[in-house]
Amino acid sequence: SQTIHQWPATLVQPVGSPLSLECTVEGTSNPNLYWYRQAAGRGLQLLFYSVGIGQISSEVPQNLSASRPQDRQFILSSKKLLLSDSGFYLCAWSPTGAGREQYFGPGTRLTVT
Amino acid sequence: GEDVEQSLFLSVREGDSSVINCTYTDSSSTYLYWYKQEPGAGLQLLTYIFSNMDMKQDQRLTVLLNKKDKHLSLRIADTQTGDSAIYFCAEVSYNQGGKLIFGQGTELSVKP
């Protein structure tokens, strides 16, 4: 069966510090991968998605970047965090193809102080 | 553009049925999804319905789809306190490369 991991689970970082969040998927090959942010409200904001190694699409101009160095690894980064980067970051994967169901990881709670 | 709308809150008594409603805009959406999010956790895929179906039942969950009105509902029978969570519906947006568009979520509160 497939599983998706995210770490760390929680993170408190000062403004201006760098960020690296990692997501890995097991039990599947060539998944589509996604990074979402869920702010204090409910809405899910799609930040990045990837259909393959080294292929990253950015949805919204951000202080963030994403990379996919391996087939089942997706990394969210920032060089200098802003207060507004605080939120709940969710990684998800879906089988290859458009419009397929997405499976979410447990999330990382980021607080920028 | 595509938009998915849900009411923000629903409160029911334990043992009653809950009905969570959703309207969507992309008529070409082939699948429509329901997700559940418990506090501090990721989203869990509950069920989905293919667009050529009117209804899908899965144990206590019943999904109804009205394609003409672009209306989707999730009925939870015999609602339990463990069903308290936020429920998201999602449509597929083929205008945006087949991405999922999520509603704002309905917070279901189950009172004993």
Side-chain angles (χ1 to χ4, degrees), chain A residues 65-111:
Chain A
S65 61
S67 62
R68 184 171 177 174
Q70 299 180 46
D71 182 45
R72 288 168 289 176
Q73 184 185 29
F74 206 23
I75 297 171
L76 183 69
S77 303
S78 174
K79 292 182 180 176
K80 286 186 179 181
L81 283 168
L82 306 172
L83 284 174
S84 58
D85 292 324
S86 293
F88 192 48
Y89 288 82
L90 290 160
C91 180
W93 75 273
S94 70
T96 303
R100 297 293 304 274
E101 68 277 14
Q102 294 181 18
Y103 299 94
F104 285 79
T108 295
R109 172 74 59 190
L110 172 66
T111 304

Side-chain angles (χ1 to χ4, degrees), chain A residues 4-112:
Chain A
I4 178 168
H5 304 279
Q6 285 186 246
W7 62 89
T10 60
L11 192 58
V12 180
Q13 292 282 93
V15 167
S17 64
L19 173 74
S20 180
L21 302 181
E22 190 164 342
C23 171
T24 57
V25 181
E26 296 176 355
T28 187
S29 295
N30 197 30
N32 294 339
L33 295 171
Y34 307 85
W35 277 113
Y36 290 88
R37 178 168 58 204
Q38 189 176 33
R42 314 255 196 77
L44 290 162
Q45 180 185 32
L46 178 61
L47 301 175
F48 301 96
Y49 70 95
S50 171
V51 298
I53 296 174
Q55 300 178 62
I56 309 293
S57 295
S58 175
E59 286 295 296
V60 183
Q62 299 280 342
N63 180 41
L64 303 167
S65 61
S67 62
R68 184 171 177 174
Q70 299 180 46
D71 182 45
R72 288 168 289 176
Q73 184 185 29
F74 206 23
I75 297 171
L76 183 69
S77 303
S78 174
K79 292 182 180 176
K80 286 186 179 181
L81 283 168
L82 306 172
L83 284 174
S84 58
D85 292 324
S86 293
F88 192 48
Y89 288 82
L90 290 160
C91 180
W93 75 273
S94 70
T96 303
R100 297 293 304 274
E101 68 277 14
Q102 294 181 18
Y103 299 94
F104 285 79
T108 295
R109 172 74 59 190
L110 172 66
T111 304
V112 182

Side-chain angles (χ1 to χ4, degrees), chain B residues 11 16 32 36 44 51 73:
Chain B
S11 181
D16 289 349
L32 293 143
K36 176 184 180 182
Q44 172 194 356
S51 59
S73 68

